[in-house]
Amino acid sequence: MQVPRIPPLRWSRSLCRRLSGPGIRGAPRRFGAVAGGSGGRLDLRGIYPPLTTPFTSQGEVDYVRLEENVRLYDKVPFRGFVAQGSTGEAPYLTQQERLEVVRRLRQAVSKEKLLLAGSGCETTRGSIEMTAQVADKGADAALVVTPCYYQGSMTSAALIHHYTEVAEASPIPVILYSVPANTGLEIPDDVVLTLAQHPNIVGIKDSGGNITRLGLLVHKTKNENFQVLAGSAGFLLASFIVGAVGGICALANVLGTPLCQLESLCFSGSWDKACELQHRLIEPNAAVTRKFGIPGLKQAMEWFGYYGGLCRAPLLPLSKTQVTELHQDFTSNGWL
């Protein structure tokens, strides 16, 4: 497969113009404090692992193991970390556990790295309250997943109202989170394009894997201070080609350095090497996401020197047969 020969300089200049546009007007008080970019806007460029949540043998959150993992990850050139995403088993944690995870991570993570925290709840009021609380615990931005329990009622109007209310109340920037595999609901294009105009909504993590959609969102928001993040390592290269600025990828918990290398190869225009690396990441990524999920990811973490451990019930550990298959997905691509 030949990757299209996009002229590196032309592409990167266009992207840089979009990334370094004028600051956002009317931004909340904490907006400029974590920018890392021009004009006081939050710069999301880079790779982020959505951190897993370790548990003790008694099923309690193991904050010590969490901090140990972060110290190891701090050696990888990540742009930052995500707490309380789908990979962090957020739906299985109490509100107090979720907030304590964010607090501990903010203390453990290097100051120059961003901490994005999941704060989406099923109600608008709950999302507003959780967003304020993760901000208080030190999160730099809130990752807000779609409410989905009453899926049939989540019209474009309902979603626009929900996210607008959250963004208006939030003391930190808001990132939309579309993960249809888990919610059964993709944030519609028209909703994203409308919300991209809000001064406190700075981007989207899109895990749907529709590259045409990602390219369209990049194209249609090129005049907004809005950034697109790929939600999986399986389509990271393609996402960069159409203008995504980074990725929040579960596989980064295991193969963080190669994912950062892929980003570097893309932005330097080394397409052949980038394509070769992307091919080697596809099967391992599928294994720790849709095939075996979080139990598979935590098992793989053990092989690469991190603490994975058990998931919280009702998630079950892998069977011996599944462990063997998972191992093969990594060894056949040269990672083990």
Side-chain angles (χ1 to χ4, degrees):
M1 171 180 145
Q2 292 295 317
V3 177
R5 293 289 182 176
I6 301 175
L9 289 177
R10 180 181 176 187
W11 178 63
S12 59
R13 283 175 181 165
S14 173
L15 184 58
C16 285
R17 281 198 298 272
R18 192 169 69 82
L19 290 173
S20 57
I24 296 175
R25 299 184 299 276
R29 58 182 176 83
R30 293 198 57 201
F31 191 76
V34 294
S38 66
R41 66 183 287 279
L42 190 67
D43 184 351
L44 296 175
R45 285 176 290 183
I47 302 298
Y48 304 76
L51 297 170
T52 60
T53 302
F55 296 102
T56 67
S57 57
Q58 290 76 38
E60 301 299 323
V61 177
D62 194 331
Y63 299 105
V64 174
R65 292 287 196 176
L66 177 66
E67 292 166 351
E68 289 175 353
N69 279 345
V70 169
R71 281 194 287 271
L72 293 174
Y73 289 138
D74 227 15
K75 301 173 184 177
V76 181
F78 290 131
R79 176 68 178 96
F81 303 92
V82 174
Q84 303 310 314
S86 303
T87 305
E89 298 176 66
Y92 292 172
L93 304 185
T94 66
Q95 180 176 348
Q96 291 73 24
E97 288 172 331
R98 292 181 66 177
L99 294 175
E100 182 64 7
V101 165
V102 175
R103 188 187 74 82
R104 296 285 190 112
L105 286 174
R106 184 68 277 174
Q107 291 181 340
V109 170
S110 299
K111 292 182 179 179
E112 68 273 11
K113 295 191 176 182
L114 294 178
L115 178 60
L116 316 181
S119 65
C121 300
E122 279 300 309
T123 66
T124 302
R125 180 175 180 175
S127 297
I128 289 172
E129 292 176 353
M130 180 61 83
T131 300
Q133 289 173 321
V134 298
D136 183 64
K137 299 301 181 183
D140 296 308
L143 190 67
V144 183
V145 72
T146 46
C148 61
Y149 188 82
Y150 296 107
Q151 184 181 138
S153 296
M154 292 300 101
T155 61
S156 292
L159 291 173
I160 290 172
H161 179 266
H162 171 75
Y163 278 108
T164 300
E165 291 292 303
V166 174
E168 289 288 338
S170 176
I172 53 178
V174 169
I175 302 168
L176 311 177
Y177 181 19
S178 183
V179 55
N182 288 355
T183 63
L185 178 67
E186 182 174 71
I187 305 178
D189 295 357
D190 66 306
V191 173
V192 178
L193 298 181
T194 298
L195 294 172
Q197 301 173 53
H198 193 284
N200 201 31
I201 296 177
V202 297
I204 183 172
K205 175 195 175 183
D206 195 310
S207 300
N210 184 337
I211 297 303
T212 300
R213 166 181 155 94
L214 291 186
L216 179 67
L217 295 181
V218 170
H219 175 60
K220 291 291 188 179
T221 62
K222 61 186 176 183
N223 295 321
E224 307 293 343
N225 286 302
F226 189 81
Q227 299 152 88
V228 175
L229 294 166
S232 177
F235 50 88
L236 188 56
L237 168 61
S239 300
F240 280 132
I241 289 176
V242 298
V245 303
I248 299 175
C249 309
L251 189 62
N253 285 282
V254 178
L255 298 176
T257 298
L259 288 183
C260 291
Q261 182 185 7
L262 178 59
E263 177 199 21
S264 179
L265 290 170
C266 288
F267 279 88
S268 67
S270 301
W271 299 110
D272 288 337
K273 292 181 179 179
C275 187
E276 180 182 356
L277 180 54
Q278 175 68 86
H279 285 166
R280 296 176 57 214
L281 294 169
I282 291 174
E283 287 182 305
N285 179 73
V288 301
T289 54
R290 68 172 183 268
K291 188 189 294 187
F292 299 123
I294 301 170
L297 177 61
K298 285 190 168 183
Q299 175 61 64
M301 289 172 64
E302 299 284 345
W303 297 332
F304 288 85
Y306 305 107
Y307 181 81
L310 297 174
C311 296
R312 182 167 272 182
L315 292 178
L316 296 176
L318 302 185
S319 67
K320 290 184 179 180
T321 300
Q322 289 174 322
V323 170
T324 299
E325 186 177 347
L326 175 66
H327 195 271
Q328 178 62 24
D329 286 328
F330 279 89
T331 56
S332 63
N333 289 282
W335 299 116
L336 286 172

